[in-house]
Amino acid sequence: MRRVVFNQKGGVGKSSIACNLAAVSATQGYRTLLIDLDAQANSSHYLSGLTGDAVPTGIADYFKQVLAGGAAGKKARPPITETPFENLHLITATAELADLQPKLEAKHKINKLRKLLESLSEEYERIYLDTPPALNFFTVSALIGADRCLIPFDCDSFSRQALYSLLGEIEELQEDHNEGLEVEGIVVNQFQPRAALPQQIIDELLAEGLPVLPVHLMSSVRMRESHQVCTPLIHFDARHKLTQQFVELHEYLERQA
């Protein structure tokens, strides 16, 4: 299973969702890998605690091998980092990705990540891909190589309008590049159950036939605290309500698989 977590809108909790679902997956006994494709490298820091020059070159190293071509390009493989958490491995991102993007586009390397993912799927039962908040080379590469897509969503009108555009772009990509890509659903994040507007928006999206998932992730300072200590919620506070929502979401996705 190769699952990409993507939304073009920033600040919707994309990295938090990808990392915490991956961490739950690992605790459930699945050999799990998270690939960070965002030059901001939030997932890399969250799962490893590393910063600056201490962060391995990760996925950037793989793409540099691809650009080099020849034997190096054919045998290209990124360094994989062991996290402090059992069964959970990481391919880190660095700011260098931003410089590599135009070179990869010029060389038409859009399918290289798909081939890497096919190879890594022989070693890992679950692969999560965290993407930049833009439909750029790395995001399109991830969508081409994945078989499932989760869309984080926070309940406001700006996010709603962006959602329609995003779903249209994914549909076009499915038709042109990856017919097997399944939109698993829309993950409502930072949900406030006592506020009327979020529930109203959810009800309207469901009435339109959009795949809003039944598990909604609450807003909690506990998430920010887990970021601070670089520890996913399942290891930081396993009994917290938000942690249990991540477990419930993971179990729901596994049942639908």
Side-chain angles (χ1 to χ4, degrees):
M1 185 284 297
R2 304 186 292 270
R3 176 178 288 132
V4 59
V5 181
F6 170 59
N7 193 321
Q8 293 182 83
K9 185 176 183 295
V12 295
K14 178 175 48 61
S15 297
S16 295
I17 290 172
C19 289
N20 279 281
L21 283 177
V24 171
S25 171
T27 63
Q28 296 290 326
Y30 296 106
R31 187 168 171 80
T32 304
L33 174 69
L34 186 135
I35 302 176
D36 192 353
L37 292 165
D38 188 351
Q40 297 178 76
N42 291 330
S43 287
S44 298
H45 175 62
Y46 188 18
L47 294 184
S48 72
L50 301 174
T51 58
D53 293 340
V55 180
T57 51
I59 197 67
D61 185 68
Y62 167 74
F63 284 121
K64 285 190 288 186
Q65 293 176 58
V66 166
L67 287 170
K74 292 179 180 178
K75 297 180 180 180
R77 181 180 173 87
I80 296 176
T81 300
E82 289 191 16
T83 73
F85 315 106
E86 187 177 1
N87 286 331
L88 182 57
H89 289 180
L90 170 69
I91 297 179
T92 55
T94 60
E96 191 175 7
L97 287 174
D99 296 328
L100 290 171
Q101 180 175 323
K103 300 174 184 178
L104 291 162
E105 290 172 337
K107 294 288 187 178
H108 307 290
K109 300 298 185 180
I110 200 70
N111 288 304
K112 287 297 184 180
L113 182 61
R114 175 181 57 81
K115 294 179 180 178
L116 173 65
L117 292 173
E118 290 172 352
S119 173
L120 290 170
S121 293
E122 298 176 5
E123 303 173 43
Y124 292 96
E125 298 169 279
R126 301 290 184 269
I127 298 175
Y128 287 80
L129 298 110
D130 183 21
T131 54
L135 195 65
N136 63 13
F137 172 88
F138 299 112
T139 301
V140 172
S141 294
L143 290 167
I144 289 174
D147 45 43
R148 298 156 195 255
C149 178
L150 283 179
I151 303 172
F153 176 76
D154 52 7
C155 295
D156 63 42
S157 58
F158 294 131
S159 294
R160 183 173 181 175
Q161 294 307 312
L163 177 64
Y164 297 131
S165 174
L166 173 61
L167 289 169
E169 289 167 341
I170 291 176
E171 183 177 356
E172 184 175 343
L173 188 142
Q174 287 169 316
E175 293 175 356
D176 294 343
H177 298 286
N178 186 359
E179 293 181 354
L181 178 65
E182 173 190 350
V183 176
E184 288 185 289
I186 298 162
V187 181
V188 175
N189 191 33
Q190 302 178 55
F191 181 62
Q192 297 174 311
R194 296 183 181 178
L197 181 60
Q199 189 60 57
Q200 176 187 331
I201 291 176
I202 290 170
D203 291 342
E204 290 172 356
L205 293 176
L206 287 169
E208 293 170 9
L210 297 183
V212 180
L213 296 175
V215 182
H216 305 154
L217 304 173
M218 66 184 289
S219 177
S220 173
V221 69
R222 212 65 175 138
M223 177 64 81
R224 293 192 292 275
E225 291 171 348
S226 82
H227 293 164
Q228 182 70 25
V229 296
C230 301
T231 306
L233 285 165
I234 194 67
H235 298 287
F236 180 60
D237 189 348
R239 296 184 179 182
H240 192 271
K241 185 175 181 179
L242 179 55
T243 308
Q244 292 307 307
Q245 289 170 347
F246 272 108
V247 172
E248 186 180 353
L249 176 59
H250 178 269
E251 290 177 349
Y252 176 84
L253 294 170
E254 288 294 326
R255 289 196 302 270
Q256 303 304 307

